[in-house]
Every structure is written in C-alpha cells, then in structure tokens.
mmCIF file of all heavy atoms in Angstrom:
data_model
loop_
_atom_site.group_PDB
_atom_site.id
_atom_site.type_symbol
_atom_site.label_atom_id
_atom_site.label_comp_id
_atom_site.label_asym_id
_atom_site.label_seq_id
_atom_site.Cartn_x
_atom_site.Cartn_y
_atom_site.Cartn_z
ATOM 1 N N VAL A 1 14.878 -63.052 77.794
ATOM 2 C CA VAL A 1 13.495 -62.805 77.377
ATOM 3 C C VAL A 1 13.205 -61.310 77.433
ATOM 4 O O VAL A 1 12.699 -60.725 76.474
ATOM 5 C CB VAL A 1 12.480 -63.589 78.263
ATOM 6 C CG1 VAL A 1 11.051 -63.174 77.950
ATOM 7 C CG2 VAL A 1 12.642 -65.089 78.062
ATOM 8 N N GLN A 2 13.582 -60.680 78.544
ATOM 9 C CA GLN A 2 13.359 -59.232 78.686
ATOM 10 C C GLN A 2 14.076 -58.464 77.588
ATOM 11 O O GLN A 2 13.519 -57.567 76.967
ATOM 12 C CB GLN A 2 13.854 -58.739 80.050
ATOM 13 C CG GLN A 2 12.891 -59.069 81.177
ATOM 14 C CD GLN A 2 13.472 -58.750 82.546
ATOM 15 O OE1 GLN A 2 14.660 -58.958 82.807
ATOM 16 N NE2 GLN A 2 12.624 -58.265 83.439
ATOM 17 N N LYS A 3 15.343 -58.843 77.350
ATOM 18 C CA LYS A 3 16.157 -58.147 76.358
ATOM 19 C C LYS A 3 15.520 -58.252 74.966
ATOM 20 O O LYS A 3 15.409 -57.277 74.235
ATOM 21 C CB LYS A 3 17.570 -58.728 76.346
ATOM 22 C CG LYS A 3 18.613 -57.797 75.760
ATOM 23 C CD LYS A 3 19.992 -58.403 75.831
ATOM 24 C CE LYS A 3 20.172 -59.348 74.641
ATOM 25 N NZ LYS A 3 21.318 -60.244 74.750
ATOM 26 N N LEU A 4 15.073 -59.458 74.619
ATOM 27 C CA LEU A 4 14.499 -59.675 73.287
ATOM 28 C C LEU A 4 13.153 -58.978 73.108
ATOM 29 O O LEU A 4 12.796 -58.587 72.008
ATOM 30 C CB LEU A 4 14.336 -61.174 73.021
ATOM 31 C CG LEU A 4 15.635 -61.933 72.753
ATOM 32 C CD1 LEU A 4 15.410 -63.429 72.852
ATOM 33 C CD2 LEU A 4 16.202 -61.566 71.382
ATOM 34 N N LEU A 5 12.403 -58.834 74.204
ATOM 35 C CA LEU A 5 11.075 -58.226 74.091
ATOM 36 C C LEU A 5 11.097 -56.705 74.220
ATOM 37 O O LEU A 5 10.091 -56.050 74.006
ATOM 38 C CB LEU A 5 10.128 -58.807 75.149
ATOM 39 C CG LEU A 5 9.757 -60.280 74.966
ATOM 40 C CD1 LEU A 5 8.907 -60.755 76.129
ATOM 41 C CD2 LEU A 5 9.028 -60.515 73.650
ATOM 42 N N GLN A 6 12.253 -56.147 74.582
ATOM 43 C CA GLN A 6 12.342 -54.686 74.730
ATOM 44 C C GLN A 6 12.091 -53.975 73.415
ATOM 45 O O GLN A 6 12.534 -54.419 72.364
ATOM 46 C CB GLN A 6 13.725 -54.290 75.249
ATOM 47 C CG GLN A 6 13.746 -54.108 76.742
ATOM 48 C CD GLN A 6 15.167 -53.907 77.248
ATOM 49 O OE1 GLN A 6 16.112 -53.861 76.468
ATOM 50 N NE2 GLN A 6 15.307 -53.805 78.550
ATOM 51 N N ARG A 7 11.369 -52.871 73.544
ATOM 52 C CA ARG A 7 11.150 -52.012 72.363
ATOM 53 C C ARG A 7 12.483 -51.338 72.030
ATOM 54 O O ARG A 7 13.116 -50.775 72.932
ATOM 55 C CB ARG A 7 10.134 -50.909 72.681
ATOM 56 C CG ARG A 7 8.811 -51.426 73.198
ATOM 57 C CD ARG A 7 7.827 -51.602 72.061
ATOM 58 N NE ARG A 7 6.629 -52.299 72.494
ATOM 59 C CZ ARG A 7 6.499 -53.623 72.531
ATOM 60 N NH1 ARG A 7 7.478 -54.408 72.180
ATOM 61 N NH2 ARG A 7 5.361 -54.166 72.911
ATOM 62 N N PRO A 8 12.893 -51.379 70.757
ATOM 63 C CA PRO A 8 14.138 -50.670 70.416
ATOM 64 C C PRO A 8 13.947 -49.162 70.627
ATOM 65 O O PRO A 8 12.875 -48.632 70.364
ATOM 66 C CB PRO A 8 14.351 -50.994 68.934
ATOM 67 C CG PRO A 8 13.108 -51.659 68.461
ATOM 68 C CD PRO A 8 12.274 -52.037 69.638
ATOM 69 N N LYS A 9 14.962 -48.494 71.157
ATOM 70 C CA LYS A 9 14.857 -47.046 71.393
ATOM 71 C C LYS A 9 14.807 -46.341 70.049
ATOM 72 O O LYS A 9 15.569 -46.658 69.150
ATOM 73 C CB LYS A 9 16.077 -46.560 72.179
ATOM 74 C CG LYS A 9 16.376 -47.395 73.409
ATOM 75 C CD LYS A 9 16.230 -46.596 74.662
ATOM 76 C CE LYS A 9 16.554 -47.348 75.918
ATOM 77 N NZ LYS A 9 16.375 -48.778 75.948
ATOM 78 N N PRO A 10 13.884 -45.389 69.888
ATOM 79 C CA PRO A 10 13.779 -44.705 68.591
ATOM 80 C C PRO A 10 15.122 -44.058 68.227
ATOM 81 O O PRO A 10 15.785 -43.474 69.077
ATOM 82 C CB PRO A 10 12.694 -43.646 68.825
ATOM 83 C CG PRO A 10 12.341 -43.697 70.271
ATOM 84 C CD PRO A 10 12.970 -44.902 70.892
ATOM 85 N N GLY A 11 15.503 -44.210 66.965
ATOM 86 C CA GLY A 11 16.747 -43.595 66.511
ATOM 87 C C GLY A 11 17.934 -44.545 66.556
ATOM 88 O O GLY A 11 18.712 -44.600 65.633
ATOM 89 N N LYS A 12 18.046 -45.309 67.622
ATOM 90 C CA LYS A 12 19.204 -46.186 67.777
ATOM 91 C C LYS A 12 19.145 -47.407 66.858
ATOM 92 O O LYS A 12 20.138 -47.802 66.280
ATOM 93 C CB LYS A 12 19.335 -46.666 69.216
ATOM 94 C CG LYS A 12 20.090 -45.701 70.095
ATOM 95 C CD LYS A 12 20.442 -46.331 71.415
ATOM 96 C CE LYS A 12 21.279 -45.360 72.245
ATOM 97 N NZ LYS A 12 21.402 -45.792 73.624
ATOM 98 N N ALA A 13 17.969 -47.988 66.755
ATOM 99 C CA ALA A 13 17.822 -49.244 66.018
ATOM 100 C C ALA A 13 18.253 -49.110 64.559
ATOM 101 O O ALA A 13 18.856 -50.011 64.003
ATOM 102 C CB ALA A 13 16.385 -49.724 66.102
ATOM 103 N N LYS A 14 17.937 -47.979 63.941
ATOM 104 C CA LYS A 14 18.225 -47.807 62.506
ATOM 105 C C LYS A 14 19.717 -47.930 62.218
ATOM 106 O O LYS A 14 20.115 -48.500 61.216
ATOM 107 C CB LYS A 14 17.681 -46.466 62.019
ATOM 108 C CG LYS A 14 16.167 -46.437 61.995
ATOM 109 C CD LYS A 14 15.639 -45.128 61.414
ATOM 110 C CE LYS A 14 14.139 -45.036 61.565
ATOM 111 N NZ LYS A 14 13.736 -44.503 62.877
ATOM 112 N N LEU A 15 20.549 -47.409 63.100
ATOM 113 C CA LEU A 15 21.992 -47.452 62.886
ATOM 114 C C LEU A 15 22.513 -48.879 62.809
ATOM 115 O O LEU A 15 23.320 -49.207 61.959
ATOM 116 C CB LEU A 15 22.720 -46.724 64.029
ATOM 117 C CG LEU A 15 22.418 -45.240 64.194
ATOM 118 C CD1 LEU A 15 23.028 -44.705 65.484
ATOM 119 C CD2 LEU A 15 22.969 -44.457 62.997
ATOM 120 N N LEU A 16 22.004 -49.712 63.717
ATOM 121 C CA LEU A 16 22.508 -51.087 63.787
ATOM 122 C C LEU A 16 21.827 -52.012 62.794
ATOM 123 O O LEU A 16 22.232 -53.150 62.623
ATOM 124 C CB LEU A 16 22.316 -51.637 65.205
ATOM 125 C CG LEU A 16 22.956 -50.815 66.318
ATOM 126 C CD1 LEU A 16 22.426 -51.247 67.676
ATOM 127 C CD2 LEU A 16 24.465 -50.975 66.272
ATOM 128 N N GLY A 17 20.750 -51.542 62.206
ATOM 129 C CA GLY A 17 20.007 -52.383 61.270
ATOM 130 C C GLY A 17 19.276 -53.505 61.985
ATOM 131 O O GLY A 17 18.936 -54.505 61.374
ATOM 132 N N SER A 18 19.049 -53.339 63.298
ATOM 133 C CA SER A 18 18.379 -54.402 64.048
ATOM 134 C C SER A 18 16.932 -54.018 64.347
ATOM 135 O O SER A 18 16.413 -54.351 65.392
ATOM 136 C CB SER A 18 19.129 -54.670 65.354
ATOM 137 O OG SER A 18 18.992 -53.547 66.201
ATOM 138 N N ALA A 19 16.347 -53.272 63.436
ATOM 139 C CA ALA A 19 14.985 -52.783 63.680
ATOM 140 C C ALA A 19 13.959 -53.919 63.638
ATOM 141 O O ALA A 19 12.829 -53.752 64.042
ATOM 142 C CB ALA A 19 14.629 -51.712 62.663
ATOM 143 N N LYS A 20 14.373 -55.087 63.145
ATOM 144 C CA LYS A 20 13.443 -56.212 63.061
ATOM 145 C C LYS A 20 13.028 -56.618 64.467
ATOM 146 O O LYS A 20 13.848 -56.978 65.294
ATOM 147 C CB LYS A 20 14.118 -57.393 62.357
ATOM 148 C CG LYS A 20 13.145 -58.532 62.089
ATOM 149 C CD LYS A 20 13.882 -59.781 61.633
ATOM 150 C CE LYS A 20 12.965 -60.977 61.621
ATOM 151 N NZ LYS A 20 12.380 -61.304 62.929
ATOM 152 N N LYS A 21 11.713 -56.506 64.701
ATOM 153 C CA LYS A 21 11.205 -56.842 66.025
ATOM 154 C C LYS A 21 11.036 -58.350 66.144
ATOM 155 O O LYS A 21 10.756 -59.030 65.170
ATOM 156 C CB LYS A 21 9.854 -56.139 66.233
ATOM 157 C CG LYS A 21 9.812 -55.270 67.462
ATOM 158 C CD LYS A 21 8.495 -54.548 67.583
ATOM 159 C CE LYS A 21 7.441 -55.550 67.997
ATOM 160 N NZ LYS A 21 6.092 -55.057 67.998
ATOM 161 N N VAL A 22 11.206 -58.842 67.348
ATOM 162 C CA VAL A 22 11.041 -60.270 67.585
ATOM 163 C C VAL A 22 9.549 -60.610 67.508
ATOM 164 O O VAL A 22 8.702 -59.825 67.926
ATOM 165 C CB VAL A 22 11.658 -60.681 68.947
ATOM 166 C CG1 VAL A 22 10.909 -60.061 70.106
ATOM 167 C CG2 VAL A 22 11.693 -62.185 69.082
ATOM 168 N N ASN A 23 9.228 -61.763 66.931
ATOM 169 C CA ASN A 23 7.827 -62.201 66.819
ATOM 170 C C ASN A 23 7.458 -62.990 68.064
ATOM 171 O O ASN A 23 7.855 -64.141 68.220
ATOM 172 C CB ASN A 23 7.651 -63.054 65.549
ATOM 173 C CG ASN A 23 6.250 -63.636 65.447
ATOM 174 O OD1 ASN A 23 5.349 -63.288 66.219
ATOM 175 N ND2 ASN A 23 6.059 -64.515 64.485
ATOM 176 N N VAL A 24 6.678 -62.346 68.948
ATOM 177 C CA VAL A 24 6.329 -62.965 70.233
ATOM 178 C C VAL A 24 5.418 -64.184 70.035
ATOM 179 O O VAL A 24 5.324 -65.051 70.891
ATOM 180 C CB VAL A 24 5.712 -61.916 71.186
ATOM 181 C CG1 VAL A 24 4.312 -61.539 70.745
ATOM 182 C CG2 VAL A 24 5.704 -62.416 72.617
ATOM 183 N N ASN A 25 4.772 -64.270 68.863
ATOM 184 C CA ASN A 25 3.881 -65.399 68.581
ATOM 185 C C ASN A 25 4.483 -66.415 67.612
ATOM 186 O O ASN A 25 3.772 -67.205 67.004
ATOM 187 C CB ASN A 25 2.541 -64.883 68.046
ATOM 188 C CG ASN A 25 1.791 -64.098 69.107
ATOM 189 O OD1 ASN A 25 1.591 -64.587 70.214
ATOM 190 N ND2 ASN A 25 1.418 -62.871 68.790
ATOM 191 N N PHE A 26 5.809 -66.392 67.501
ATOM 192 C CA PHE A 26 6.511 -67.359 66.647
ATOM 193 C C PHE A 26 6.190 -68.778 67.123
ATOM 194 O O PHE A 26 6.154 -69.037 68.315
ATOM 195 C CB PHE A 26 8.024 -67.099 66.727
ATOM 196 C CG PHE A 26 8.840 -68.146 66.042
ATOM 197 C CD1 PHE A 26 8.965 -68.149 64.662
ATOM 198 C CD2 PHE A 26 9.500 -69.138 66.769
ATOM 199 C CE1 PHE A 26 9.725 -69.124 64.017
ATOM 200 C CE2 PHE A 26 10.261 -70.115 66.134
ATOM 201 C CZ PHE A 26 10.368 -70.097 64.757
ATOM 202 N N GLN A 27 5.923 -69.688 66.170
ATOM 203 C CA GLN A 27 5.634 -71.077 66.536
ATOM 204 C C GLN A 27 6.619 -72.029 65.871
ATOM 205 O O GLN A 27 6.929 -71.876 64.698
ATOM 206 C CB GLN A 27 4.198 -71.434 66.123
ATOM 207 C CG GLN A 27 3.153 -70.703 66.976
ATOM 208 C CD GLN A 27 1.742 -70.957 66.492
ATOM 209 O OE1 GLN A 27 1.287 -70.321 65.552
ATOM 210 N NE2 GLN A 27 1.045 -71.877 67.135
ATOM 211 N N ASP A 28 7.076 -73.034 66.641
ATOM 212 C CA ASP A 28 7.985 -74.031 66.069
ATOM 213 C C ASP A 28 7.177 -75.057 65.263
ATOM 214 O O ASP A 28 5.976 -74.905 65.089
ATOM 215 C CB ASP A 28 8.851 -74.684 67.157
ATOM 216 C CG ASP A 28 8.033 -75.523 68.146
ATOM 217 O OD1 ASP A 28 6.853 -75.836 67.854
ATOM 218 O OD2 ASP A 28 8.576 -75.875 69.208
ATOM 219 N N THR A 29 7.822 -76.112 64.810
ATOM 220 C CA THR A 29 7.151 -77.071 63.927
ATOM 221 C C THR A 29 5.990 -77.789 64.616
ATOM 222 O O THR A 29 5.073 -78.267 63.972
ATOM 223 C CB THR A 29 8.145 -78.118 63.390
ATOM 224 O OG1 THR A 29 8.889 -78.620 64.497
ATOM 225 C CG2 THR A 29 9.082 -77.509 62.369
ATOM 226 N N ASP A 30 6.005 -77.856 65.965
ATOM 227 C CA ASP A 30 4.889 -78.470 66.693
ATOM 228 C C ASP A 30 3.797 -77.447 67.005
ATOM 229 O O ASP A 30 2.792 -77.777 67.633
ATOM 230 C CB ASP A 30 5.371 -79.071 68.022
ATOM 231 C CG ASP A 30 6.338 -80.223 67.799
ATOM 232 O OD1 ASP A 30 6.100 -81.008 66.857
ATOM 233 O OD2 ASP A 30 7.320 -80.326 68.546
ATOM 234 N N GLY A 31 4.030 -76.201 66.575
ATOM 235 C CA GLY A 31 3.050 -75.154 66.845
ATOM 236 C C GLY A 31 3.228 -74.560 68.230
ATOM 237 O O GLY A 31 2.377 -73.823 68.718
ATOM 238 N N PHE A 32 4.358 -74.872 68.876
ATOM 239 C CA PHE A 32 4.617 -74.338 70.208
ATOM 240 C C PHE A 32 5.108 -72.903 70.117
ATOM 241 O O PHE A 32 6.064 -72.614 69.417
ATOM 242 C CB PHE A 32 5.672 -75.198 70.913
ATOM 243 C CG PHE A 32 5.107 -76.072 71.979
ATOM 244 C CD1 PHE A 32 4.202 -77.063 71.649
ATOM 245 C CD2 PHE A 32 5.453 -75.896 73.318
ATOM 246 C CE1 PHE A 32 3.659 -77.882 72.635
ATOM 247 C CE2 PHE A 32 4.923 -76.715 74.302
ATOM 248 C CZ PHE A 32 4.019 -77.707 73.957
ATOM 249 N N SER A 33 4.445 -72.018 70.825
ATOM 250 C CA SER A 33 4.852 -70.613 70.891
ATOM 251 C C SER A 33 5.580 -70.389 72.211
ATOM 252 O O SER A 33 5.518 -71.240 73.104
ATOM 253 C CB SER A 33 3.614 -69.720 70.841
ATOM 254 O OG SER A 33 2.890 -69.839 72.064
ATOM 255 N N PRO A 34 6.246 -69.230 72.370
ATOM 256 C CA PRO A 34 6.871 -68.945 73.663
ATOM 257 C C PRO A 34 5.866 -69.072 74.824
ATOM 258 O O PRO A 34 6.203 -69.589 75.877
ATOM 259 C CB PRO A 34 7.361 -67.505 73.505
ATOM 260 C CG PRO A 34 7.668 -67.383 72.044
ATOM 261 C CD PRO A 34 6.601 -68.202 71.362
ATOM 262 N N LEU A 35 4.615 -68.637 74.596
ATOM 263 C CA LEU A 35 3.613 -68.696 75.662
ATOM 264 C C LEU A 35 3.278 -70.141 76.055
ATOM 265 O O LEU A 35 3.045 -70.434 77.226
ATOM 266 C CB LEU A 35 2.341 -67.924 75.261
ATOM 267 C CG LEU A 35 1.354 -67.621 76.386
ATOM 268 C CD1 LEU A 35 2.010 -66.848 77.533
ATOM 269 C CD2 LEU A 35 0.157 -66.832 75.866
ATOM 270 N N HIS A 36 3.276 -71.057 75.084
ATOM 271 C CA HIS A 36 3.061 -72.477 75.395
ATOM 272 C C HIS A 36 4.161 -72.966 76.354
ATOM 273 O O HIS A 36 3.883 -73.617 77.359
ATOM 274 C CB HIS A 36 3.114 -73.339 74.125
ATOM 275 C CG HIS A 36 1.867 -73.319 73.304
ATOM 276 N ND1 HIS A 36 1.751 -72.583 72.150
ATOM 277 C CD2 HIS A 36 0.664 -73.939 73.472
ATOM 278 C CE1 HIS A 36 0.541 -72.766 71.635
ATOM 279 N NE2 HIS A 36 -0.136 -73.591 72.422
ATOM 280 N N HIS A 37 5.413 -72.642 76.013
ATOM 281 C CA HIS A 37 6.544 -73.080 76.842
ATOM 282 C C HIS A 37 6.475 -72.452 78.234
ATOM 283 O O HIS A 37 6.730 -73.127 79.233
ATOM 284 C CB HIS A 37 7.879 -72.718 76.184
ATOM 285 C CG HIS A 37 8.255 -73.648 75.078
ATOM 286 N ND1 HIS A 37 8.511 -74.993 75.289
ATOM 287 C CD2 HIS A 37 8.419 -73.449 73.748
ATOM 288 C CE1 HIS A 37 8.817 -75.576 74.134
ATOM 289 N NE2 HIS A 37 8.760 -74.660 73.190
ATOM 290 N N ALA A 38 6.130 -71.169 78.292
ATOM 291 C CA ALA A 38 6.051 -70.483 79.586
ATOM 292 C C ALA A 38 4.960 -71.108 80.453
ATOM 293 O O ALA A 38 5.136 -71.301 81.653
ATOM 294 C CB ALA A 38 5.776 -68.995 79.367
ATOM 295 N N ALA A 39 3.832 -71.479 79.831
ATOM 296 C CA ALA A 39 2.723 -72.095 80.571
ATOM 297 C C ALA A 39 3.120 -73.483 81.069
ATOM 298 O O ALA A 39 2.795 -73.873 82.187
ATOM 299 C CB ALA A 39 1.478 -72.177 79.686
ATOM 300 N N LEU A 40 3.851 -74.205 80.229
ATOM 301 C CA LEU A 40 4.302 -75.551 80.582
ATOM 302 C C LEU A 40 5.274 -75.487 81.769
ATOM 303 O O LEU A 40 5.213 -76.300 82.677
ATOM 304 C CB LEU A 40 4.981 -76.184 79.369
ATOM 305 C CG LEU A 40 5.148 -77.689 79.357
ATOM 306 C CD1 LEU A 40 3.841 -78.409 79.615
ATOM 307 C CD2 LEU A 40 5.717 -78.133 78.010
ATOM 308 N N ASN A 41 6.144 -74.476 81.753
ATOM 309 C CA ASN A 41 7.092 -74.289 82.861
ATOM 310 C C ASN A 41 6.414 -73.686 84.083
ATOM 311 O O ASN A 41 6.948 -73.741 85.174
ATOM 312 C CB ASN A 41 8.239 -73.358 82.442
ATOM 313 C CG ASN A 41 9.153 -74.000 81.433
ATOM 314 O OD1 ASN A 41 9.213 -75.212 81.321
ATOM 315 N ND2 ASN A 41 9.866 -73.178 80.671
ATOM 316 N N GLY A 42 5.261 -73.046 83.860
ATOM 317 C CA GLY A 42 4.553 -72.399 84.960
ATOM 318 C C GLY A 42 5.259 -71.152 85.456
ATOM 319 O O GLY A 42 5.114 -70.763 86.608
ATOM 320 N N ASN A 43 6.034 -70.499 84.577
ATOM 321 C CA ASN A 43 6.782 -69.315 84.985
ATOM 322 C C ASN A 43 5.933 -68.055 84.813
ATOM 323 O O ASN A 43 5.775 -67.536 83.713
ATOM 324 C CB ASN A 43 8.073 -69.213 84.173
ATOM 325 C CG ASN A 43 9.006 -68.161 84.723
ATOM 326 O OD1 ASN A 43 8.590 -67.066 85.080
ATOM 327 N ND2 ASN A 43 10.284 -68.489 84.792
ATOM 328 N N VAL A 44 5.395 -67.565 85.940
ATOM 329 C CA VAL A 44 4.471 -66.431 85.922
ATOM 330 C C VAL A 44 5.124 -65.162 85.376
ATOM 331 O O VAL A 44 4.508 -64.421 84.618
ATOM 332 C CB VAL A 44 3.894 -66.184 87.344
ATOM 333 C CG1 VAL A 44 2.945 -65.010 87.349
ATOM 334 C CG2 VAL A 44 3.180 -67.431 87.833
ATOM 335 N N GLU A 45 6.396 -64.932 85.743
ATOM 336 C CA GLU A 45 7.084 -63.723 85.268
ATOM 337 C C GLU A 45 7.190 -63.724 83.748
ATOM 338 O O GLU A 45 6.918 -62.718 83.096
ATOM 339 C CB GLU A 45 8.494 -63.638 85.859
ATOM 340 C CG GLU A 45 8.523 -63.155 87.291
ATOM 341 C CD GLU A 45 9.958 -63.147 87.820
ATOM 342 O OE1 GLU A 45 10.450 -64.235 88.182
ATOM 343 O OE2 GLU A 45 10.568 -62.058 87.850
ATOM 344 N N VAL A 46 7.594 -64.858 83.192
ATOM 345 C CA VAL A 46 7.752 -64.958 81.738
ATOM 346 C C VAL A 46 6.387 -64.836 81.056
ATOM 347 O O VAL A 46 6.245 -64.129 80.054
ATOM 348 C CB VAL A 46 8.463 -66.272 81.328
ATOM 349 C CG1 VAL A 46 8.521 -66.413 79.823
ATOM 350 C CG2 VAL A 46 9.873 -66.309 81.914
#
C-alpha cells in the first residue's frame, strides 16, 4: 500500500514510463474502494 501510494520522484518516473499515478478512489464492481476495505478491516494505519 505504501509503495503504491508513494509519489514518484520527479525525473525518475519519466524514464520508466510509470508516471501513471494509482487511483486511490478506484472502485470495484460493487463500488468498493480501498477505503471501504480498510474500514471493514479496521486497519487504522491503512
């Protein structure tokens, strides 16, 4: 989770073509977002 949410370091991302940022509000077919799952698990850190 930490790795995916990290801001890409300026300059580095362009080389790898991985500049696409992860969508923290992505929802699955049930409309579940990462925050829904984190709340369900009760994981305060996440």
